Amino acid sequence: MNSTTVRRLLVRGMLAGLAAGVLALLVAYFLGEPQVDSAIAYEDAQTAGAGHDHGAAGHDHGAAEEEPLVSRDLQATGGLATGILVYGVAFGGLAALAYCYALGRIGRFTPRATALLLAVAGLVAVYVVPFLKYPANPPAVGADDSVGRRTTLYLLMLVLSVLLTVGAVILGQRLAPRLGNWNATVAAGAFLVLVVGLAFAFLPSVNEMPADFPATVVWKFRIAALAVQATLWTAFGLLFGELAERVLAPERRAAVREAAAQEAAAGDAVSPG
């Protein structure tokens, strides 16, 4: 693949990532933000209760607390939009580069099918697998002094998931000549499930959920987080697949249209009258 084609795909990947980010933003705003508000309300209630228990001294301390630099309203609108859209553009560019490398190496699929397969595999490897071990938590969950440890464990699980997924793909390709595509895919999938299960078993778990935190809020927040990522990856796969098809297969598309036109013309020629 020449550099001009790579650049064209990179630009289209960033545009597709931006469009997918807009859709993910809508999901995050309507599904995720209400749960964040509920979690913040719980945290405020806990803080107010602690201040009340400390009496007047606690009240004076609370009154002296500074206002946050960024208001909650701005966080839920402009901040959320900026974060997701910038992430979408960067994500789209990186995914487009990965697509350029994967095209033709994972099977004889069309550009559109390759984009969708890559998006599904990326969603599972980059988000779903780490999410199952270390799921997203709303605000007010987790101790401040354990943020570094939790972040390190999550990144470790993410790196392991990506490497193991790549390893499973390579294993499937190596086994295909001897076992056939179907059996090789099943064997590679079983290998991936096994090693991911071992990683889940040996990596330490993190459970810092307060005993009285509303379980419904946690559940809805995690579903919303998963929905945001699923929307982002799926929309990107569909949009970028169409754009990549137009870049990489214009001749094939033209040939299909020409064949359809010739078939229609032949049908008109043999029709009576």
Side-chain angles (χ1 to χ4, degrees), residues 32-38 40 68 70-77 139:
E33 285 304 309
Q35 313 315 318
V36 174
D37 289 336
S38 298
I40 292 176
V70 180
S71 68
R72 171 62 190 144
D73 290 339
L74 183 58
Q75 292 175 10
T77 53

Side-chain angles (χ1 to χ4, degrees), residues 38-116:
S38 298
I40 292 176
Y42 166 86
E43 186 175 28
D44 290 342
Q46 296 297 108
T47 302
H52 178 73
D53 292 339
H54 284 87
H59 176 74
D60 293 339
H61 175 73
E65 289 183 354
E66 297 181 357
E67 292 294 326
L69 295 177
V70 180
S71 68
R72 171 62 190 144
D73 290 339
L74 183 58
Q75 292 175 10
T77 53
L80 179 67
T82 301
I84 291 183
L85 295 181
V86 170
Y87 175 81
V89 173
F91 152 78
L94 293 174
L97 295 177
Y99 175 87
C100 293
Y101 178 80
L103 189 65
R105 290 182 169 89
I106 60 174
R108 296 182 179 180
F109 300 105
T110 65
R112 185 185 292 110
T114 300
L116 188 57

Side-chain angles (χ1 to χ4, degrees), residues 178-197:
R178 288 182 292 175
L179 302 180
N181 290 332
W182 174 259
N183 291 332
T185 301
V186 171
F191 164 79
L192 180 60
V193 171
L194 174 63
V195 292
V196 167

Side-chain angles (χ1 to χ4, degrees), residues 122-145:
L123 172 63
V124 173
V126 174
Y127 190 78
V128 173
V129 171
F131 176 87
L132 291 176
K133 178 63 177 177
Y134 302 112
N137 286 324
V141 174
D144 293 339
D145 57 357

Side-chain angles (χ1 to χ4, degrees), residues 229-247:
Q229 292 294 327
T231 300
L232 181 69
W233 284 89
T234 304
F236 173 81
L238 294 172
L239 294 171
F240 181 68
E242 180 62 29
L243 296 176
E245 186 82 15
R246 295 181 181 183
V247 171

Side-chain angles (χ1 to χ4, degrees), residues 246-267:
R246 295 181 181 183
V247 171
L248 297 172
E251 296 180 358
R252 186 173 64 86
R253 293 167 66 92
V256 170
R257 289 195 295 267
E258 182 179 355
Q262 291 177 351
E263 182 178 354

